[in-house]
Amino acid sequence: MNIGDVADRARLPAKTIRYYEEIGLVTPARRPNGYRDYSENDMHKLAFLGRARALGFSIEDCRLLLTLYEDRNRESAEVKALATDHLARIDEKIAELNQMRATLANLVEACAGDHRPDCPILADLGKTP
């Protein structure tokens, strides 16, 4: 199948598919005219990568997940460890975002938002760390 067909089926932009090929995540066959010829297996890998990326896994994590997926002798403990580490990073980001939100909400609440020039938001941003 050509890149347009596989892009539609895997729900990925053709540019992303070319990038994944460039970094070695997929290696489609080539037709005699040099065009890429994606197999069902390639399409499945691309859909897998798209889902993993949508969950926030890094490219290197995706590379490892794909290797584990293709290894029938893998231990699920390896996969779980990788996913657990990723989940911990997500939890850290959520905590950071919650803290940022709380700080900003307090500043917004403290600002009168009127015609006067004094503004707690700008005062806080202007503090030296």
Side-chain angles (χ1 to χ4, degrees):
M1 97 187 73
N2 67 32
I3 196 164
D5 293 335
V6 79
D8 288 342
R9 291 187 59 198
R11 296 186 176 155
L12 290 171
K15 185 175 182 178
T16 299
I17 294 170
R18 285 188 202 95
Y19 173 68
Y20 289 167
E21 180 185 358
E22 182 182 314
I23 63 172
L25 290 174
V26 292
T27 310
R30 293 285 181 161
R31 295 179 185 162
N33 62 6
Y35 288 1
R36 294 168 181 88
D37 189 16
Y38 294 91
S39 65
E40 284 293 320
N41 188 47
D42 293 327
M43 194 281 305
H44 186 74
K45 282 183 184 181
L46 289 165
F48 178 96
L49 291 166
R51 179 77 175 126
R53 293 292 288 155
L55 289 173
F57 285 100
S58 70
I59 291 292
E60 288 311 310
D61 284 346
C62 287
R63 188 180 306 280
L64 182 54
L65 284 167
L66 194 56
T67 299
L68 290 167
Y69 180 76
E70 293 173 331
D71 179 4
R72 295 294 172 208
N73 296 315
R74 71 179 174 267
E75 294 183 10
S76 64
E78 293 177 78
V79 181
K80 184 174 182 176
L82 182 66
T84 300
D85 288 346
H86 183 59
L87 185 59
R89 289 190 303 271
I90 289 172
D91 287 339
E92 287 173 14
K93 287 180 185 177
I94 289 171
E96 289 171 7
L97 287 171
N98 282 330
Q99 181 60 44
M100 282 192 301
R101 189 194 185 289
T103 300
L104 188 55
N106 288 335
L107 291 171
V108 167
E109 182 66 30
C111 182
D114 58 16
H115 63 281
R116 296 178 305 186
D118 59 313
C119 178
I121 300 168
L122 293 177
D124 187 78
L125 294 174
K127 289 180 186 175
T128 44

